[in-house]
Amino acid sequence: MARDSRRQVTDMIEEHTLLNEIRSWVEIESPTDCTAAVNHMMDRAQATARTGGLQSRRYPGTHGYGDHVLVHAPGDDLARPGILILSHLDTVHPPGTITHKLPFRVEGDLAYGPGIYDMKSGAVMALSALCSLVRREQSTPLPVRQLFVSDEEIGSISSRPLIEELARGARYALVTEPARPGGEIVTGRKGTARFTMQVTGRPAHAGTHHAQGQSAIKELARQILDLEAMTDYAQGITINVGLIQGGTGANVVPETAVAEIDMRMPDSATGLPTVNRILGATPHNPETQVTITGGINRPGYSKDAAITALFSHAAPLAGRYGIELRDVSSGGGSDGNFTAAMGVPTLDGLGPIGAGAHTLHEHIRIPSLMPRTLLFRDLLATLA
């Protein structure tokens, strides 16, 4: 890309404009399970795209989740293989976080807010890069499409079929998840599995008929110890029982108890034996019942020759903006797991540098916005 061309792009994408747009997105709270709120965020994405000269298509969500939006340049009939940008607009923070616990604010080089790091900033950065190309009427070697989904934080239950459909027509996938804290992008991710364990016992009055009861919580506690013991750091397998519920009162032997379980694995082949062990769990107390549902929901992937070539293309482009591009394999999952597993060369973690995802100190580093947006823009303009 010529030096004067880079100057023109810088003129069209300004840090304060970018940050103001990010703020407007962050202030629209959009937790996954609040469908109306997520759809409001999708409205905003469509409006921003329209102002930037892009067209959009909206896809109704399923399973009770919000809609999904695909934006693209005018005249793109989605027939040619192209570049698929993946962004999610759902967050984990409950409504009211922006007002009470994590208001948008700027402190020095840091900007704070719910979902600002994971991943509204990255979504805005990519969209701004694409809009800048369209405004300048600069064609790209490949058509570019950006997909905004509504349910990534809970496993992309609604959006996965759409992601995979669009990935079949993609030559590359670029994911706007945030960079790692050191600025590294992601070229490999662990696979994930999710399970729900339901235990049923027999209720009884805890004072007068304790011996007649069979505690679902007691059985679940024993199952949790079994589950956590399946963690195998040498194989890269971790099990986390992250949510438990059960019982109706302190004076009642509990009839029911439920646990939500997260599992990470380097790849499906490595993780499958443990998955089968979890699904095959049997009760310690034969007077209780244990039911497990779930399985692998994101396949793992590793940096292969095609991803290596894509990274090698990106590294010198990043160098133009003072970025020494480094890459890592991440234990977290993203929608890039789906595209990479389909054989689409995928670069992930192209969003801003920051920290605190899913916490009350979630923030981005403002100086990382412009260089990484211009890197995104150069990728769109040069990948062929």
Side-chain angles (χ1 to χ4, degrees):
M1 192 175 183
R3 182 180 300 275
D4 62 340
S5 178
R6 289 202 304 276
R7 179 179 56 77
Q8 291 175 38
V9 174
T10 303
D11 290 343
M12 296 187 69
I13 307 175
E14 299 179 340
E15 184 178 277
H16 73 276
T17 303
L18 199 60
L19 186 59
N20 284 340
E21 184 69 15
I22 290 169
R23 176 176 185 166
S24 72
W25 288 38
V26 170
E27 290 181 339
I28 300 173
E29 294 183 292
S30 50
T32 313
D33 57 356
C34 294
T35 303
V38 175
N39 283 343
H40 181 32
M41 188 64 250
M42 292 294 169
D43 294 339
R44 174 68 190 192
Q46 283 188 288
T48 302
R50 183 168 55 251
T51 301
L54 301 177
Q55 296 179 341
S56 65
R57 302 185 182 194
R58 190 150 177 159
Y59 301 84
T62 62
H63 300 82
Y65 296 110
D67 297 342
H68 317 297
V69 168
L70 181 71
V71 303
H72 55 84
D76 180 6
D77 61 3
L78 308 185
R80 289 178 54 212
I83 299 171
L84 177 62
I85 304 171
L86 293 175
S87 304
H88 72 83
L89 298 185
D90 61 317
T91 64
V92 302
H93 299 280
T97 302
I98 191 76
T99 305
H100 302 292
K101 296 183 178 180
L102 184 57
F104 179 90
R105 66 189 190 278
V106 173
E107 297 180 358
D109 285 343
L110 306 182
Y112 292 80
I116 195 169
Y117 179 57
D118 184 14
M119 60 180 291
K120 289 184 177 178
S121 292
V124 170
M125 290 161 62
L127 182 59
S128 298
L130 179 54
C131 287
S132 75
L133 293 169
V134 172
R135 285 195 301 266
R136 295 174 63 222
E137 298 183 350
Q138 178 175 338
S139 61
T140 56
L142 296 172
V144 181
R145 298 114 190 188
Q146 184 171 6
L147 178 65
F148 300 97
V149 304
S150 64
D151 63 339
E152 189 276 342
E153 293 291 2
I154 52 87
S156 305
I157 296 169
S158 170
S159 59
R160 179 174 180 174
L162 178 59
I163 293 168
E164 292 178 335
E165 176 186 345
L166 294 170
R168 283 189 280 272
R171 191 166 292 173
Y172 303 101
L174 305 176
V175 187
T176 63
E177 291 284 355
R180 303 303 90 180
E184 300 87 354
I185 65 172
V186 175
T187 53
R189 285 189 182 273
K190 283 189 173 184
T192 63
R194 291 286 177 89
F195 307 90
T196 299
M197 175 177 283
Q198 173 83 44
V199 179
T200 304
R202 184 186 308 133
H205 191 289
T208 59
H209 297 89
H210 187 277
Q212 295 178 13
Q214 301 293 340
S215 172
I217 289 179
K218 180 179 178 181
E219 176 63 35
L220 179 61
R222 299 177 73 179
Q223 294 289 337
I224 288 172
L225 294 176
D226 293 344
L227 290 164
E228 296 278 357
M230 296 181 196
T231 289
D232 186 334
Y233 294 122
Q235 288 198 84
I237 294 173
T238 57
I239 310 291
N240 183 67
V241 180
L243 179 66
I244 58 173
Q245 296 175 323
T248 56
N251 61 346
V252 181
V253 177
E255 180 181 14
T256 60
V258 181
E260 300 292 337
I261 304 150
D262 176 277
M263 174 182 171
R264 307 293 166 121
M265 70 207 85
D267 53 69
S268 297
T270 302
L272 192 57
T274 304
V275 169
N276 290 335
R277 283 181 63 192
I278 294 173
L279 292 174
T282 57
H284 290 270
N285 177 0
E287 298 297 319
T288 63
Q289 296 179 340
V290 175
T291 304
I292 303 250
T293 57
I296 296 173
N297 63 355
R298 294 189 192 275
Y301 72 97
S302 301
K303 184 178 181 182
D304 59 13
I307 295 176
T308 298
L310 180 55
F311 176 83
S312 297
H313 179 89
L317 299 179
R320 296 174 174 180
Y321 307 109
I323 302 172
E324 181 184 354
L325 205 63
R326 303 184 302 275
D327 66 309
V328 295
S329 182
S330 174
S334 86
D335 288 333
N337 288 66
F338 302 134
T339 56
M342 294 175 66
V344 180
T346 299
L347 282 187
D348 202 339
L350 289 164
I353 299 173
H358 299 189
T359 74
L360 293 178
H361 62 272
E362 183 169 348
H363 64 270
I364 59 168
R365 297 194 61 82
I366 297 171
S368 72
L369 293 177
M370 282 298 297
R372 297 177 81 89
T373 299
L374 296 176
L375 167 59
F376 222 112
R377 190 270 175 196
D378 282 6
L379 283 169
L380 304 182
T382 59
L383 283 173

